Amino acid sequence: MNHASKETGDFDSTVLRLAVSSLATPMSVIDVNMDSMAREVKKVQPVLGGFDQDKYVTERLWATAADGTE
């Protein structure tokens, strides 16, 4: 077996693996089937202390500077 191909991934695969996180979402690994666009959550990093994702919101707020730029 060629170990280099195992380390770099299968370029012929129809599955894209994403690692995502945000201020309101713990680190998650998600597989996306690029043919059907179906998503499968493979792992969600546990958060200690009774974390409830529904209690958090991320917003982008813009402020205008003194010179008029945002």
Side-chain angles (χ1 to χ4, degrees), residues 16-51:
L16 174 66
R17 177 160 287 176
L18 302 173
V20 297
S21 67
S22 74
L23 296 173
T25 305
M27 169 63 184
S28 303
V29 176
I30 302 169
D31 283 356
V32 180
N33 182 307
M34 299 306 289
D35 290 333
S36 66
M37 299 310 289
R39 298 176 185 180
E40 181 180 356
V41 177
K42 302 302 274 185
K43 179 180 180 180
V44 177
Q45 182 70 36
V47 179
L48 300 177
F51 174 77

